[in-house]
Amino acid sequence: MTPVDEVQLKVEDIHISFGGVQALMGVTLEVKKGEIFSLIGPNGAGKTVLLNCINGIYRPQKGRVCFEGKDIGYLRPYERASLGIARTFQKIELFSGMTVLDNIRLGRHIHMKTGLLDGAIYAVRAAREEIEHREFIEREIIDLLEIEHIRDKVVGMLPYGLQKRVELARALALNPKILLLDEPMAGLNLEEVEDMARFILDINEEQRWRVTCVLVEHDMGVVMDISHRVAALNFGEKISEGPPEEVQNDPQVIKAYLGEVEEIYVTRR
């Protein structure tokens, strides 16, 4: 998907500390609609903390988070989700005793319009809504992520790579406008990494989805190949931002994080 000039997400002068530790110090970023915007940096740089500030898990002591031109700093995580901000996590946060399909359905609950009382009184309307949501999940998400063969499996019995795919599916069930991806490649083998990179490109580029992505990732081959823009953090501060090639060659980024850049093996279609 080709990004447009419209700024969809803006974080402005974000400061947050935990005890005496400054996790973020004056970080400002603008994410344009339609782009894959990646955050890189060493462990402890503040990347996940920034995602937590965006989706409302943390509230910064100073600064603003704006989504589609509106300050959302006062909103709780579920309220931000209702605006179209979805999230995956660094450590898988699935219900391991439930099936794949049931986990994905949980991501769809925010779009449910019939409650318990409505379901009792207007059974036909509730049943119709349930069918529509089930069709969306099965037609759009399960097919996209190629998980038809595990849809009825218990999540806790699946290999780690498939669990990562299920977590992405649950985030997509929200039908998001922007997707926050926290280390989606972590723990995956080469084939799984290539599949995940392909899924992210599909989510960003396919006409049905067209989702803006904010990606936190350590796999520099993937980051440099699929990102439209990249920002580097170090010790809670932004040290570089721009096109992948520019950030890759920034002396500050090389010194703080990259060193010698690994060979890129994922190709944008």
Side-chain angles (χ1 to χ4, degrees), residues 8 54-55 67-68 72 75 77-87 110-111 171 174-180 211-212:
Q8 190 171 28
I54 293 170
N55 85 315
F67 181 65
E68 297 186 336
I72 61 171
L75 296 178
Y78 74 89
E79 294 172 314
R80 301 187 196 199
S82 69
L83 295 178
I85 301 175
R87 171 80 186 273
I110 205 154
H111 295 290
L174 184 67
N175 202 12
K177 296 178 181 179
I178 191 166
L179 183 57
L180 311 178
V211 178
T212 305

Side-chain angles (χ1 to χ4, degrees), residues 61 136 239 264-265:
Q61 284 93 30
F136 171 79
I239 59 173
I264 297 173
Y265 52 80

Side-chain angles (χ1 to χ4, degrees), residues 94-100 102-103 153-157:
L94 294 170
F95 292 94
S96 60
M98 297 171 61
T99 66
V100 167
D102 285 340
N103 268 276
K153 301 287 187 180
V154 175
V155 164
M157 303 299 292

Side-chain angles (χ1 to χ4, degrees), residues 3 10 18 41 65 75 90 95 97 102 123 140 158 161 165-166 173 185-186 197 208 245 249 255:
K10 182 176 182 179
F18 303 95
V65 178
L75 296 178
Q90 189 173 351
F95 292 94
D102 285 340
E140 304 292 349
L158 295 175
R165 210 178 289 190
V166 175
M185 315 294 174
R208 167 61 189 86
E245 300 83 4
N249 293 306
K255 180 180 179 180

Side-chain angles (χ1 to χ4, degrees), residues 94-147:
L94 294 170
F95 292 94
S96 60
M98 297 171 61
T99 66
V100 167
L101 194 54
D102 285 340
N103 268 276
I104 299 172
R105 284 171 176 164
L106 286 173
R108 196 73 187 156
H109 78 280
I110 205 154
H111 295 290
M112 299 291 288
K113 295 182 173 57
T114 54
L116 183 61
L117 183 59
D118 288 332
I121 300 175
Y122 304 106
V124 174
R125 186 172 71 185
R128 187 185 306 118
E129 183 185 47
E130 175 67 22
I131 291 172
E132 290 174 354
H133 289 308
R134 185 165 64 245
E135 287 179 347
F136 171 79
I137 291 171
E138 295 178 358
R139 183 180 64 250
E140 304 292 349
I141 300 175
I142 288 179
D143 182 61
L144 172 72
L145 299 181
E146 302 170 5
I147 51 177

